[in-house]
Amino acid sequence: MEIFLYGVRGSIPAPLSNQEYREKVISILRLVAKSEGKAFSSPEEWFDQLPEPLNYVVGGNTTCVRIIGSSGVELVVDLGTGARVLGEDLVREKFGQGKGEASVFFTHTHWDHIHGIPFFKPMYIPGNKFTFYSPLEDLPERLKYQQEPRFFPIHFDHFGSERNFRRLQKGEVLEIGGVKVEWLPLKHPGGSIAYKFTENGKSFIFATDAEYNGEDFPLIQEQKPFFKGADLLVLDAQYTLDESFQKFDWGHTSYTMAVNCASSWEVKKLALTHHEPAYSDEILAIILDDARTHAENLGAKDLSIVLAREGMKFKLV
């Protein structure tokens, strides 16, 4: 099972600003000046030696994840603005020939999780087939509403592809192309869903738009059977701890609580996601360092923590 991250920002797209780009370049040039002509075999090798976050951008697109099972089955979670980039990749494959088929799971329908749909090219190509999964009874109406003529010139019903809807039932477990799919409701205004994908004994859980705070320790323990021992957990970590106090009931988690949850659930790898749109890459790098320090202080020495970034790929075998 392979997992690809196409969008990791929360709430609204946040492209890299000119000022942030300038600061990155200046920081790199300062390192060049200090290198005193140290030899590298290639510019690529030199670039790879740069400290984080100078050798990457976190990315500004909102939530979209691609999962490919060992059988080749295509699974997608959410179609935020990252879906535009995913679509570009898919049309270079069989989706460009109208021979693609994918299952799309929606965590919920807040804008940052659906507003890539009108720009998702494979949906326009006849022959492609999509099945949309959600516990929401009115998911078709919600997606169509986004593309009413007042908001977008092409209606949802005018896509060329075949689109079907499947409502998930409480406690339902699916198997698609050899991948087991389970789901769990999360604490979020309007609701949100965590999805768990398991294949060959390896599990990936995507749990964005979830709020866990100091009052939720009973809930964290209650949900432990679902999360326990996940090989990879991509979890909402939009806020600092102080911000989470100021934005109580806004539906998101501090990175401190995200680490607490992952530690309690005995997760192997935690990827912090749904990044605050106001945070620069440099701030997010500081958050990552703080999260790792917090894990050490908890005694969670076996917990690996990374920052979710666009273009990231994980392979669970």
Side-chain angles (χ1 to χ4, degrees):
M1 181 166 52
E2 294 179 303
I3 299 102
F4 303 82
L5 305 184
Y6 281 87
V8 298
R9 286 284 171 178
S11 304
I12 192 170
L16 190 72
S17 70
N18 285 332
Q19 181 61 31
E20 289 171 327
Y21 171 73
R22 183 175 187 274
E23 289 172 358
K24 278 182 183 290
V25 173
I26 289 174
S27 296
I28 292 172
L29 291 175
R30 284 175 176 157
L31 290 176
V32 171
K34 291 179 180 179
S35 67
E36 298 178 350
K38 184 179 179 181
F40 286 90
S41 61
S42 68
E44 289 80 8
E45 180 189 357
W46 185 87
F47 187 84
D48 289 341
Q49 299 299 317
L50 288 172
E52 296 184 356
L54 296 179
N55 64 355
Y56 66 77
V57 294
V58 171
N61 280 306
T62 62
T63 304
C64 183
V65 180
R66 179 187 189 185
I67 303 109
I68 304 178
S70 58
S71 67
V73 66
E74 292 277 359
L75 310 169
V76 177
V77 182
D78 284 346
L79 292 171
T81 59
R84 183 193 65 80
V85 186
L86 170 60
E88 296 289 349
D89 284 350
L90 291 178
V91 296
R92 285 191 283 269
E93 303 168 10
K94 56 188 175 181
F95 286 86
Q97 304 162 11
K99 299 178 180 179
E101 186 169 349
S103 298
V104 182
F105 294 84
F106 287 97
T107 61
H108 61 314
T109 58
H110 285 167
W111 277 334
D112 50 328
H113 298 263
I114 65 170
H115 59 191
I117 293 175
F119 307 96
F120 185 57
K121 284 185 179 180
M123 210 90 79
Y124 288 87
I125 299 175
N128 289 332
K129 298 179 181 179
F130 297 94
T131 302
F132 298 136
Y133 293 86
S134 168
L136 295 169
E137 183 177 8
D138 63 343
L139 181 64
E141 288 74 20
R142 295 184 185 210
L143 300 187
K144 291 176 183 181
Y145 186 76
Q146 179 183 220
Q147 289 179 234
E148 284 191 357
R150 291 174 295 169
F151 310 120
F152 197 76
I154 301 172
H155 196 272
F156 186 88
D157 288 336
H158 295 163
F159 285 130
S161 61
E162 178 184 325
R163 297 164 315 288
N164 299 294
F165 290 85
R166 169 80 179 275
R167 187 184 179 192
L168 296 172
Q169 302 300 316
K170 184 177 180 180
E172 183 177 11
V173 178
L174 305 174
E175 184 168 328
I176 304 175
V179 178
K180 180 181 176 183
V181 185
E182 301 167 85
W183 62 281
L184 179 76
L186 297 171
K187 178 184 172 185
H188 185 72
S192 184
I193 300 297
Y195 290 102
K196 181 178 183 178
F197 304 89
T198 305
E199 183 185 51
N200 298 326
K202 300 291 184 177
S203 59
F204 160 55
I205 300 177
F206 187 73
T208 188
D209 290 62
E211 181 170 3
Y212 295 100
N213 56 52
E215 299 178 356
D216 291 321
F217 288 108
L219 176 63
I220 292 169
Q221 290 305 308
E222 179 185 326
Q223 294 180 344
K224 186 171 182 176
F226 181 85
F227 289 97
K228 185 176 180 179
D231 294 279
L232 173 64
L233 169 63
V234 180
L235 180 62
D236 188 306
Q238 182 162 349
Y239 300 142
T240 64
L241 191 58
D242 287 343
E243 283 176 324
S244 69
F245 295 143
Q246 299 166 14
K247 299 178 179 179
F248 191 77
D249 282 342
W250 283 35
H252 300 286
T253 302
S254 70
Y255 66 84
T256 305
M257 280 302 301
V259 172
N260 289 346
C261 288
S263 175
S264 176
W265 294 331
E266 301 169 31
V267 166
K268 296 180 178 66
K269 182 184 287 288
L270 169 66
L272 308 174
T273 196
H274 207 272
H275 306 308
E276 167 63 41
Y279 289 169
S280 67
D281 291 351
E282 287 70 25
I283 291 175
L284 290 172
I286 294 170
I287 283 174
L288 176 60
D289 286 342
D290 285 350
R292 287 170 171 168
T293 299
H294 181 58
E296 291 175 5
N297 292 338
L298 286 177
K301 61 181 186 307
D302 295 328
L303 175 61
S304 171
I305 305 176
V306 298
L307 197 67
R309 306 195 306 265
E310 281 184 34
M312 241 181 187
K313 173 184 174 181
F314 302 92
K315 191 169 185 177
L316 302 183
V317 293

